[in-house]
Amino acid sequence: MSGFVRNGWYMACWTHEVPDGGFLARRLLDKPWVIWRKADGTPVMMADRCAHRFVPLSRGARDGDMMRCAYHGLAFDGSGACAHNPFTGQPLDLARVDVLPVVERHTGLWFWPGDAEKADPALIPDFSFLDHDRPLHRGYIRMEASYELVTDNLMDLSHAEFVHRDSFGVNGSLLTCGQHEVVQDEGGAIWNNWTMPDSEPPVWAKPMLPEGAKTDQWLHMRWNAPSSLALFIGLAKSGSDRKDMVVPPMADPHILVPETADSTHYFYTHEPTPEAFALLEKAFLEEDHPMLHAQQQAMGEADFWDLKPAILPSDAGAIRVRRRMMQLRRAEQADAA
């Protein structure tokens, strides 16, 4: 995991992805893990590799509060200890698998892959806008691109004018009247904020407004290290000081977790309607993903900075995040040394 920031909270899955009495197998930070719950509901995240002959534990089965290997029957409890050896009927003290700190928060399971003593749940990013009982589809896709490229994409919303012209485009407003700023808040989150005052409304909003009406729009993207993002969207009638809203303010998670160095788990939400599902599928799978995958292939194994990328003013948020990630990696390397 040397290429990833380790001392930080990542989301492994939505809580509903872990089946009752079963488990979820998923590669995270280029290592296989198996995620399950004990009978009392406590989540467990353990390495998906038996300590005996290294067969994936996910080829086995749950056995009460243990995962039992299908090869020779060793069973491991929630602490990672071999709690039962079928050849003796006793624990096997020499056999142990890695487990990580894992916390349930904001309808997801969050894990800390670094120094367990630093795993403070208070550092989990704030996605409290997900803590409600309203119907909401919690979705997941896999992108064949580095999580840093996906982060760049989210921290540079100007691409919406080109890539998302048929889905989430803002009808040219970013280019004609967009005001852009990048700020860091007291908690360390980096915000990439676009504001479009007195702007042409997006196509989807025109039927909700009188002919010729203008709007005040804002798109504020928040990034928390290592890779959790949230988008806050507003659309109000122009000149109303953001009080006469065309639609209620929206908040959407865009939570990323590296699968490998060049593939990413992407967690998102949308309203539980066929129309919302179709729109998100189009934006993510038909628009974003082909572009990011092509970008990843074009870069190959080259380092981003070694390619000497041209920098536009709209890249400010993405560059700020990349620099912060470099600082975090260097700090962890220094601590390890």
Side-chain angles (χ1 to χ4, degrees):
M1 285 189 249
S2 59
F4 307 113
V5 169
R6 297 173 60 211
N7 287 322
W9 289 104
Y10 295 87
M11 201 178 89
C13 60
W14 295 114
T15 54
H16 75 264
E17 292 186 90
V18 181
D20 292 340
F23 57 84
L24 171 71
R26 179 162 283 168
R27 179 169 288 272
L28 300 158
L29 277 62
D30 214 10
K31 186 174 180 180
W33 299 92
V34 60
I35 305 162
W36 50 281
R37 291 181 183 275
K38 295 192 287 187
D40 64 3
T42 302
V44 176
M45 181 170 169
M46 63 170 43
D48 192 9
R49 188 175 70 183
C50 181
H52 174 224
R53 287 294 182 265
F54 318 124
V55 169
L57 291 172
S58 58
R59 294 185 65 87
R62 285 285 307 283
D63 186 351
D65 279 354
M66 301 182 294
M67 281 293 301
R68 189 172 295 278
C69 181
Y71 196 12
H72 293 91
L74 299 185
F76 299 86
D77 66 18
S79 73
C82 181
H84 184 254
N85 173 6
F87 296 91
T88 66
Q90 300 298 316
L92 183 61
D93 294 338
L94 294 177
R96 174 173 288 275
V97 295
D98 290 339
V99 295
L100 296 182
V102 58
V103 173
E104 184 170 346
R105 186 73 55 85
H106 308 317
T107 68
L109 293 181
W110 298 78
F111 70 101
W112 182 281
D115 183 350
E117 293 184 358
K118 298 180 179 179
D120 180 359
L123 299 176
I124 295 173
D126 180 11
F127 286 92
S128 56
F129 59 80
L130 294 173
D131 298 335
H132 58 74
D133 296 327
R134 299 190 305 276
L136 188 69
H137 177 77
R138 290 162 173 80
Y140 159 82
I141 58 174
R142 177 183 176 275
M143 286 196 163
E144 294 181 84
S146 158
Y147 79 102
E148 289 190 284
L149 293 182
V150 185
T151 300
D152 288 344
N153 182 66
L154 291 166
M155 289 298 287
D156 173 21
L157 294 176
S158 68
H159 80 275
E161 296 283 23
F162 306 96
V163 178
H164 298 307
R165 190 172 297 163
D166 296 329
S167 56
F168 290 124
V170 288
N171 208 11
S173 298
L174 282 171
L175 304 178
T176 58
C177 60
Q179 301 171 3
H180 182 222
E181 67 171 352
V182 178
V183 297
Q184 183 167 330
D185 64 26
E186 294 180 354
I190 295 174
W191 291 78
N192 188 69
N193 297 339
W194 280 94
T195 304
M196 294 83 76
D198 199 32
S199 60
E200 193 71 20
V203 173
W204 60 265
K206 282 182 175 290
M208 308 177 191
L209 293 160
E211 185 175 353
K214 294 294 185 71
T215 57
D216 295 333
Q217 303 179 59
W218 57 97
L219 302 169
H220 294 179
M221 184 71 79
R222 185 195 74 201
W223 171 85
N224 292 91
S227 55
S228 295
L229 297 96
L231 176 61
F232 300 87
I233 304 170
L235 181 68
K237 291 181 180 178
S238 181
S240 69
D241 195 27
R242 299 189 177 183
K243 292 185 173 67
D244 192 354
M245 301 294 295
V246 179
V247 292
M250 293 175 276
D252 300 313
H254 295 265
I255 302 173
L256 312 177
V257 184
E259 179 188 47
T260 66
D262 55 10
S263 60
T264 303
H265 301 292
Y266 192 140
F267 301 95
Y268 63 94
T269 63
H270 63 72
E271 294 300 315
T273 65
E275 295 79 12
F277 177 78
L279 183 63
L280 265 296
E281 288 280 297
K282 179 178 180 61
F284 290 161
L285 298 181
E286 298 179 25
E287 297 172 346
D288 274 329
H289 185 254
M291 190 68 70
L292 293 169
H293 182 47
Q295 181 186 20
Q296 182 70 67
Q297 289 185 310
M299 291 177 62
E301 296 183 1
D303 177 75
F304 176 83
W305 294 109
D306 288 345
L307 292 173
K308 297 180 171 55
I311 305 299
L312 302 176
S314 57
D315 293 323
I319 296 301
R320 184 90 166 261
V321 166
R322 279 190 174 268
R323 288 176 174 163
R324 178 60 183 145
M325 290 293 286
M326 290 169 64
Q327 293 169 352
L328 292 172
R329 288 193 190 95
R330 287 170 180 163
E332 290 188 358
Q333 290 168 1
D335 288 345

